[in-house]
């Protein structure tokens, strides 16, 4: 493995772990908020136990997310110093706002965890809401910074230097909104189905009311998010078609520019022969999804120099996987809402609980696939159309060893988090029983 690939792999592993912790940290506070709200509304002690249990999980993921996020911040400077030299003054604003949101979240979470018997009930409840709001804002600010890399703005690039810098324009670049809402909705869908799946597994083992209540709260969020996700994805894809046509072409293994471009489902890209084999093609649908017109022209990869093509196979497979898993979760959401309105007490049926268990990791797999699409699909650019990734690499040797070390640390961290959560579940059962 050469230095360049080791650096990219290290960033990929770090981001892959962090994104799971970050998504859970964004969404779980809303679950604990709703649980406490239901307790105050119904005086059912089960909701109180659930809110307390979830708050401990939030604390664990907050701590882990803070550590993994800090590692990513250092890696940007250590692995890609040329990038940070030019980009830091431009897109630093969303990072500073993310830091502010992080501190607000930390303070509010501390008050929430230690204020159960010390604060007024209503005050305590709305502190939980502040935890949720600041967590979501933190994620949006980070996504805004990433979106700038896909749609750089707020500066003039003159003779290899950034001039006339406007941090506000950079923060609110043309890609920030589409990426932010797509990522936020994905976080709610993935975390909701994961939490519902874990509690479904626990409910099958111990028919406890607390797990049933947890499933209903988690699915309420997840089902709405899963139905909104395709709409959000469509808006995001249209934005990509405008700003990064090469990335869109890689999504679909679309090699030739054509009108009435077909939507590709499945298939194996053949980059050498500029074709895709064994795919299902729906005529005109890609033109419609990209431009709102079945007859619109969609640029193919042939329009771009081959050295500027994204890695087509991995981008295509990741996109197909993301769409397939998102469609499955949307189907589960439709079943949930149909069953809720049509049948009583059906959520405890074994077939449904087993479906939820199967779905537990799928939302996060879809998120990982989506980030591969976003990051790999931007290659070979680290700042799209401005700076190539290879030109930003640090001259420091031995990156392979830091990659191996970081991978081992994150693997250990995963075991620690799993052990802590298992321990909390055992304590919950002991207290509840």
């Amino acid at each position: 493995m050469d230095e360049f690939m080791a650096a990219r792999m290290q960033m990929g592993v770090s981001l892959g772990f962090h994104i799971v912790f970050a998504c859970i940290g964004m969404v779980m506070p809303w679950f604990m908020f709703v649980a406490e709200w239901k307790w105050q509304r119904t005086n059912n002690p089960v909701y109180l136990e659930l809110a307390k249990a979830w708050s401990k999980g939030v604390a664990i993921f907050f701590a882990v997310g803070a550590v993994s996020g800090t590692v990513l911040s250092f890696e940007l400077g250590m692995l890609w110093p040329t990038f940070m030299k030019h980009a830091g003054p431009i897109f630093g604003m969303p990072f500073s706002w993310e830091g502010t949101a992080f501190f607000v979240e930390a303070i509010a979470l501390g008050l929430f965890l230690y204020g159960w018997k010390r604060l007024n009930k209503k005050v305590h409840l709305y502190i939980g809401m502040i935890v949720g709001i600041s967590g979501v804002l933190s994620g949006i600010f980070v996504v805004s910074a990433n979106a700038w890399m896909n749609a750089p703005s707020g500066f003039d690039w003159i003779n290899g230097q950034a001039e006339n810098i406007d941090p506000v324009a950079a923060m609110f670049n043309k890609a920030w909104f589409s990426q932010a809402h797509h990522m936020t909705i994905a976080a709610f869908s993935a975390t909701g189905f994961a939490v519902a799946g874990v509690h479904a597994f626990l409910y099958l083992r111990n028919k406890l009311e607390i797990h049933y209540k947890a499933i209903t709260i988690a699915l309420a969020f997840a089902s709405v998010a899963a139905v909104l996700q395709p709409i959000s994805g469509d808006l995001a894809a249209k934005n990509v078609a405008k700003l990064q046509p090469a990335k869109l072409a890689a999504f679909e293994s679309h090699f030739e520019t054509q009108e009435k471009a077909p939507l590709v489902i499945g298939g194996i890209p053949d980059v050498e022969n500029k074709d895709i084999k064994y795919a299902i093609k729906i005529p005109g649908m890609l033109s419609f999804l990209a431009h709102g017109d079945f007859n619109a022209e969609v640029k193919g990869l042939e329009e771009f120099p081959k050295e500027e093509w994204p890695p087509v196979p991995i981008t295509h497979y990741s996109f197909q996987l993301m769409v397939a898993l998102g469609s499955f979760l949307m189907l589960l959401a439709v079943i949930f809402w149909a069953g809720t309105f049509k049948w009583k007490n059906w959520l405890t049926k074994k077939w449904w609980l087993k479906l939820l268990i199967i779905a537990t990791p799928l939302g996060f797999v879809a998120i990982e696939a989506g980030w591969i699409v976003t990051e790999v699909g931007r290659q070979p650019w680290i700042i799209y159309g401005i700076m190539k990734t290879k030109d930003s690499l640090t001259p420091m040797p031995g990156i392979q060893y830091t990659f191996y070390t970081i991978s081992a640390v994150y693997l250990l961290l995963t075991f620690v988090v799993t052990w802590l959560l298992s321990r909390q579940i055992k304590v919950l059962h002991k207290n509840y029983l």
Side-chain angles (χ1 to χ4, degrees), residues 200-215:
F201 174 77
L202 296 172
Y203 186 84
L204 281 176
R205 295 178 61 188
N206 300 282
K207 303 292 192 294
L208 299 179
E209 184 184 1
I210 193 169
H211 297 311
Y212 178 82
K213 300 295 188 188
I215 291 170

Side-chain angles (χ1 to χ4, degrees), residues 34-35 49 70 90 92 94 101 109 115 136 142 155-156 169 174 176 182 195 218 226 264 286 315 356 387-388 420:
V34 170
E49 289 298 323
T70 301
I90 305 172
L109 182 58
V136 170
V142 170
F155 66 98
D156 295 319
K174 292 182 179 180
W176 85 270
H182 193 56
V195 171
V264 171
L286 180 60
T315 305
L356 292 179
M387 181 185 295
K388 290 189 175 181
L420 287 172

